[in-house]
């Protein structure tokens, strides 16, 4: 099949290029705009308590919500607020109200904190209705501009925090991160490809090709998201950049290394390209299939953010694969050997002394290499047991210097940490109105919950059958302590203290995080096993073996555990963070498990090829490392580097993702594929290919080996 595809592309290059251009233009012209949501509740199914509470709030209290923004005032010298300062805060609130800022529905000054260190003005805004709704963030911009005039000339300083301000700062941080990641990724690919091939043509090839197909990818994702009503998380854009350029460049590298290898074997450029597509097509198609399956398995997730992320990234990989097998060969077949200009190194086989030496050493002592590489994976995997998820999305998605982050911390000087995002408890009854005694006793029960700082007087619905209590926690709403309070005592007391004939549900952002945690634990137990089984099927079909898939998938999951352990070691132990962003394990699964399988497939396909050439298992491992080692090293370096660029984004979430994924790719390429897989395969021997014949020598190859084998010296015969 791949031979026929290669011949068609090489014979009809302009037809292939034209078809791609037409498809890209057509998709770009007809696709809807790809939009993302930042509302975490959009990703949870309706049976979770936090979503049930949200439904109650929308029906009974449609205009009731926590303040969209909080303006925090404090003295510039850090001293307690004076009566004059309090009057200035009141005047500032009145002045902002008089300005009638668009989409600001109410501005109210709250009492100063008990220790007089901070004073707060609560701002209500028009509720947002879609991910594209910028009314709240635009209002925050106007408030921040107007606020400077209100405190000018006083002893006060002020800043805006709260949900709307955090959303604005997250968007600004995300836009900057996307630009930094895009520039760093492109520069890195250019530099590394120039070093590897010494050709500006090859260096520019992935940039031009992937830049062009990214238009089609975004359009296809937007079409699928709209057709199936998928909620796209705002991290998708950043991930798409690195996936497309990282994976796409990998596939182009695999093809170009084989193309150069066939040229050196004496084939003409067009024949060499057909041979390259024929030889590498099955391997990279199987690798892409494993990645697509791993991404597609996320559709089994209960979380909307991952159900949409999986198909989005699967589409990106599928398009990158199709371009790697058609568009790139078409372009290269037109350029011929000019693609290597001005370098002449493609004409000569390099010594590959380092990889030859490593391969030879591994072939002689596979047990030692398996023990050391496996030991590294296991040791780091043990550290992963200390993983602690954190739900601090607000501060982790922006820089520490953003206004919302700074004043969120300043607020803690005088207010309970939960002030920015109070929880809500809804008490409802069917038919009869709630009585005064019921409301009073229930509030007293909530006030007595450990971890609760304040409970507001109940707000009643029009029919007085539903009451809303605003519950301010002592701890930050995204903290471990707040989650424990809501998951344990608050929900327990809210349910048990509800009078007979009534029902209580706990809502708010912390409640959403509690349900997120439960949903993710469920996903771990479903998505990972399903993906493992499906990837093993791909490996089994590629290798025609029932043995190799078991240790290959085991090595991939060992790599996953080692990667998580490395992240725990750096961020929790060395940097002293309380935990890692809660989505990290699933994000790592996407790239370490899925993409890590790529390198294993490439190495094991070469191992089978060398075995078919007539080499014994140890010699096959040595030859596979010698010939495939440079390809895996180059691809791993580029892919790890592209993900490492995320660490330049300036916020904790992307830094943790960038570090973990780049380390994971490094482990997959330089530990698993380079050492663990070939050494274990050498130890198992021909049994690795059972019941197929992957380990049996091809008769023609065996004859060729005998023909070209060096004659045995007379001294050796004697």
């Amino acid at each position: 099949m791949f031979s026929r595809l290669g011949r068609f592309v090489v014979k009809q290059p302009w037809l292939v290029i034209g078809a791609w251009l037409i498809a890209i233009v057509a998709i770009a012209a007809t696709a809807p705009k790809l939009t993302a949501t930042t509302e975490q509740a959009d990703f949870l199914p309706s049976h979770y308590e936090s979503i049930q509470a949200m439904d109650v709030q929308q029906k009974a209290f449609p205009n009731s919500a926590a303040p969209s923004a909080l303006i925090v005032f404090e003295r510039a010298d850090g001293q307690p607020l004076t009566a004059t300062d309090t009057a200035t805060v009141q005047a500032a609130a009145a002045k902002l109200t008089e300005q009638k800022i668009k989409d600001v529905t109410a501005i109210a000054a709250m009492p100063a904190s008990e220790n007089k260190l901070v004073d707060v003005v609560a701002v209500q805004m028009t509720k947002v209705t879609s991910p594209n709704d910028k009314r709240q963030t635009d209002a925050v911009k106007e408030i921040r501009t107007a606020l400077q005039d209100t405190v000018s000339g006083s002893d006060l300083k002020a800043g805006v925090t709260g949900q709307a301000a955090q959303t604005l700062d997250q968007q600004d941080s995300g836009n900057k991160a996307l630009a930094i990641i895009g520039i760093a990724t492109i520069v890195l690919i250019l530099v590394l490809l120039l070093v590897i091939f010494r050709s500006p043509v090859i260096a520019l090839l992935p940039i031009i090709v992937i830049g062009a197909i990214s238009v089609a990818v975004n359009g296809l994702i937007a079409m699928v998201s709209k057709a199936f009503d998928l909620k796209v998380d705002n991290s998708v854009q950043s991930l798409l950049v690195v996936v497309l350029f990282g994976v796409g460049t990998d596939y182009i590298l695999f093809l170009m290394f084989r193309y150069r290898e066939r040229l050196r074997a004496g084939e003409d450029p067009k024949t060499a390209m057909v041979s390259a597509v024929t030889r590498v097509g099955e391997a990279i198609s199987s690798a892409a299939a494993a990645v697509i399956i791993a991404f597609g398995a996320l559709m089994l997730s209960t979380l909307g953010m991952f159900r949409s992320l999986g198909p989005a990234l699967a589409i990106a990989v599928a398009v990158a694969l199709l371009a790697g097998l058609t568009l790139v060969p078409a372009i290269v077949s037109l350029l011929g050997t000019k693609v290597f200009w001005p370098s002449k190194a493609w004409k000569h086989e390099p010594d590959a002394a380092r990889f030859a030496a490593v391969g030879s050493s591994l072939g002689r002592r596979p047990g030692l290499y398996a023990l050391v590489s496996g030991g590294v994976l296991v040791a780091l995997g043990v550290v992963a047991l200390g993983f602690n998820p954190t739900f601090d999305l607000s501060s982790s998605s922006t820089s520490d210097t953003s206004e919302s982050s700074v004043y969120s911390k300043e607020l803690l000087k005088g207010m309970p940490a939960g002030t920015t995002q109070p929880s809500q408890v809804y008490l409802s009854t069917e038919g009869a109105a709630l009585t005064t005694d019921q409301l009073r006793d229930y509030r007293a029960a909530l006030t007595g919950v450990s971890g609760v700082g304040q409970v507001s007087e109940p707000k009643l619905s029009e029919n007085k059958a539903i009451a809303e209590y605003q519950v301010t926690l002592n701890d930050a709403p995204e903290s471990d302590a707040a989650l424990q309070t809501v998951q344990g005592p608050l929900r327990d007391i809210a349910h048990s203290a509800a009078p007979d004939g009534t029902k209580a549900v706990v809502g708010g952002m912390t409640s959403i995080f509690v349900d997120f945690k439960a949903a993710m634990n469920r996903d771990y137990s479903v998505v990972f096993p399903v993906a493992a089984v499906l990837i093993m099927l791909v490996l089994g079909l590629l290798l025609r073996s029932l043995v190799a898939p078991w240790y290959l998938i085991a090595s991939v999951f060992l790599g996953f555990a080692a990667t998580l352990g490395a992240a725990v070691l750096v961020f929790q132990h060395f940097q002293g963070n309380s935990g890692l962003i809660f989505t990290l394990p699933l994000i790592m699964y996407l790239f370490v498990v899925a993409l890590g399988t790529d390198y294993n497939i490439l190495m094991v396909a070469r191992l089978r090829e060398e075995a078919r050439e007539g080499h014994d298992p140890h010699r096959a491992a040595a030859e596979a490392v010698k010939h495939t080692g440079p390809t895996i090293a180059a691809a791993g370096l580029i892919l790890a580097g592209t993900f490492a660029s995320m660490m330049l984004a300036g916020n904790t979430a992307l830094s943790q993702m960038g570090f973990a994924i780049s380390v994971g790719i490094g482990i997959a390429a330089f530990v698993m594929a380079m050492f663990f897989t070939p050494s274990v395969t050498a130890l198992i021997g021909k049994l690795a290919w059972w019941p197929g014949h992957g380990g049996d020598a091809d008769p023609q190859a065996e004859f060729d080996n005998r023909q070209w084998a060096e004659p045995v010296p007379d001294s050796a015969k004697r």
Side-chain angles (χ1 to χ4, degrees):
M1 182 181 76
F2 293 104
S3 177
R4 289 195 298 271
L5 176 64
R7 286 196 296 272
F8 173 78
V9 170
V10 169
K11 286 181 179 179
Q12 304 288 344
W14 287 113
L15 178 63
V16 172
I17 294 170
W20 270 99
L21 290 175
I22 292 170
I24 290 170
V25 171
I27 292 171
T30 58
K33 184 179 179 182
L34 180 62
T35 58
T37 179
T38 58
E39 179 57 60
Q40 299 302 318
D42 286 344
F43 303 123
L44 278 170
S46 59
H47 66 269
Y48 284 99
E49 183 170 343
S50 59
I51 306 304
Q52 294 173 1
M54 187 173 292
D55 291 339
V56 173
Q57 184 264 324
Q58 290 174 350
K59 292 175 183 176
F61 307 97
N63 298 318
S64 174
S68 301
L70 297 174
I71 306 174
V72 181
F73 293 84
E74 61 181 334
R75 284 185 62 87
D77 58 11
Q79 296 301 309
L81 298 167
T82 64
T84 302
D85 297 329
T86 303
T88 302
V89 173
Q90 298 283 344
K95 188 180 294 185
L96 289 172
T97 302
E98 290 170 2
Q99 293 191 19
K100 298 186 182 301
I101 296 172
K102 187 178 180 182
D103 295 309
V104 172
T105 57
I107 296 177
M110 299 167 63
S113 63
E114 290 186 12
N115 60 11
K116 302 294 184 183
L117 289 179
V118 295
D119 203 345
V120 175
V121 170
V123 181
Q124 295 282 2
M125 297 179 184
T126 305
K127 189 173 182 179
V128 295
T129 57
S130 73
N132 292 324
D133 194 335
K134 298 184 180 298
R135 288 178 292 179
Q136 287 193 356
T137 53
D138 287 344
V140 170
K141 292 177 184 177
E142 289 194 44
I143 291 172
R144 284 178 171 171
T145 300
L147 186 60
Q148 302 312 312
D149 294 335
T150 65
V151 296
S152 179
S154 70
D155 295 326
L156 300 178
K157 63 178 183 177
V160 185
T161 186
Q163 187 172 10
Q166 290 166 346
T167 299
L168 174 62
D169 291 341
Q170 285 173 22
Q171 290 173 353
D172 290 344
S173 178
N175 291 335
K176 292 176 183 175
L178 189 59
I180 291 171
I181 290 169
I183 293 170
T185 297
I186 290 171
V187 169
L188 181 72
I189 290 173
L190 284 171
V191 170
L192 289 178
L193 288 180
L194 279 171
V195 170
I196 294 168
F197 289 100
R198 300 168 194 156
S199 166
V201 180
I202 291 183
L204 288 171
L205 183 63
I207 306 301
I208 295 170
V209 170
I210 296 168
I213 67 172
S214 65
V215 177
V217 169
N218 284 320
L220 290 172
I221 292 171
M223 289 177 178
V224 171
S225 298
K226 183 178 180 180
F228 296 96
D229 192 29
L230 297 175
K231 303 290 186 180
V232 181
D233 180 61
N234 59 2
S235 64
V236 167
Q237 294 284 4
S238 297
L239 292 175
L240 272 178
V241 170
V242 290
V243 167
L244 267 176
F245 279 96
V247 175
T249 302
D250 267 10
Y251 294 160
I252 292 172
L253 264 181
F254 297 160
L255 183 72
M256 293 306 297
F257 268 102
R258 272 305 175 105
Y259 177 60
R260 188 175 65 179
E261 184 179 315
R262 300 317 303 163
L263 287 173
R264 287 169 175 167
E267 294 180 355
D268 66 85
K270 292 190 180 296
T271 304
M273 180 50 69
V274 174
S275 297
V277 173
T278 302
R279 289 171 178 261
V280 86
E282 185 181 27
I284 66 172
S285 294
S286 300
V291 175
I292 291 168
I293 284 171
F295 289 167
L298 286 177
M299 295 183 72
L300 299 174
S301 170
T302 56
L303 296 171
M305 64 187 298
F306 290 115
R307 282 202 309 274
S308 60
L309 183 62
L313 298 180
I315 288 169
V317 173
V319 175
L321 171 67
L322 188 59
L325 292 178
T326 58
L327 182 57
V328 174
I331 294 171
V332 175
S333 68
L334 291 174
L335 294 173
T337 57
K338 293 185 180 69
V339 75
F340 298 105
W341 180 89
S343 174
K344 302 294 184 182
W346 64 271
K347 295 181 177 181
H348 311 290
E349 181 73 37
D351 294 336
R354 293 176 184 173
F355 287 98
V358 170
S360 177
S361 176
L362 184 147
R364 290 194 303 272
R365 295 183 291 275
L368 176 63
Y369 278 83
L371 183 64
V372 172
S373 57
V376 170
L377 297 176
V378 171
L380 285 172
V382 171
V383 181
L385 297 175
F387 167 69
N388 181 54
T390 178
F391 291 80
D392 187 0
L393 297 179
S394 298
S395 62
S396 64
S397 298
T398 63
S399 69
D400 292 337
T401 58
S402 67
E403 186 171 323
S404 61
S405 295
V406 170
Y407 279 91
S408 179
K409 294 173 183 176
E410 294 301 303
L411 184 65
L412 301 182
K413 292 180 179 179
M415 299 287 187
T419 302
T420 56
Q421 289 284 346
S423 296
Q424 292 83 39
V425 177
Y426 295 96
L427 182 66
S428 59
T429 182
E430 294 291 338
L434 293 165
T435 67
T436 303
D437 289 343
Q438 287 176 325
L439 295 170
R440 183 190 63 245
D441 293 345
Y442 192 67
R443 178 172 182 262
L446 294 178
T447 304
V449 174
S450 175
V452 169
Q454 300 171 359
V455 179
S456 69
E457 291 291 339
K459 180 178 180 179
L460 292 174
S461 60
E462 288 185 8
N463 62 1
K464 298 185 179 180
I466 303 176
E468 177 189 68
Y469 295 87
Q470 294 285 344
V471 179
T472 303
L473 305 177
N474 287 329
D475 302 290
E478 69 281 347
S479 65
D480 291 342
L483 266 67
Q484 291 169 4
T485 296
V486 170
Q487 183 179 9
L490 182 56
R491 282 187 174 178
D492 291 343
I493 295 298
H495 298 159
S496 63
D500 292 338
T502 66
K503 178 185 177 182
V505 288
V506 180
M509 189 57 67
T510 306
S511 186
I512 289 173
F513 289 154
V514 168
D515 291 338
F516 251 101
K517 193 172 183 179
M520 291 193 69
N521 288 335
R522 177 264 178 199
D523 286 352
Y524 293 151
S525 64
V526 174
V527 175
F528 283 11
V530 169
V533 170
L534 293 176
I535 291 173
M536 284 181 66
L537 287 175
V538 172
L539 292 170
L541 290 172
L542 169 68
L543 303 173
R544 285 79 167 172
S545 167
L546 294 177
V547 177
W550 286 97
Y551 68 83
L552 291 175
I553 202 70
S555 72
V556 169
F557 278 94
L558 267 177
F560 171 85
T563 303
L564 185 58
V568 168
L569 198 64
V570 170
F571 291 101
Q572 290 184 209
H573 295 291
F574 293 164
Q575 292 191 4
N577 295 337
S578 61
L580 300 170
I581 194 72
F582 74 100
T583 56
L584 190 60
L586 273 176
I587 295 293
M588 280 172 42
Y589 152 82
L590 286 172
F591 300 106
V592 177
V593 173
L595 299 182
T597 306
D598 268 17
Y599 301 126
N600 259 350
I601 287 176
L602 195 67
M603 176 58 76
V604 81
R606 188 70 188 227
L607 283 163
R608 185 185 62 175
E609 188 176 322
E610 295 298 336
R612 297 284 289 167
E613 291 290 330
H615 299 306
D616 65 75
H618 288 227
R619 176 68 185 278
E623 290 296 313
V625 171
K626 174 184 175 181
H627 292 293
T628 307
T631 307
I632 291 177
L637 190 61
I638 287 176
L639 192 59
T642 57
F643 281 104
S645 67
M646 296 172 71
M647 297 173 66
L648 303 174
N651 67 65
T652 305
L654 288 177
S655 292
Q656 290 183 2
M657 285 185 197
F659 173 84
I661 297 170
S662 59
V663 167
I665 296 299
I667 288 174
F670 296 99
V671 179
M672 286 190 326
M674 195 80 72
F675 300 124
F676 190 75
T677 294
S679 60
V680 171
T681 304
L683 289 172
I684 295 176
K686 291 185 178 181
L687 183 62
W689 314 109
W690 184 87
H693 301 285
D696 297 336
D698 180 77
Q700 182 62 42
E702 211 169 25
F703 173 77
D704 292 342
N705 282 341
R706 287 197 301 270
Q707 289 291 100
W708 290 100
E710 291 183 6
V712 180
D714 291 340
S715 58
K717 291 178 183 178
R718 289 193 296 269

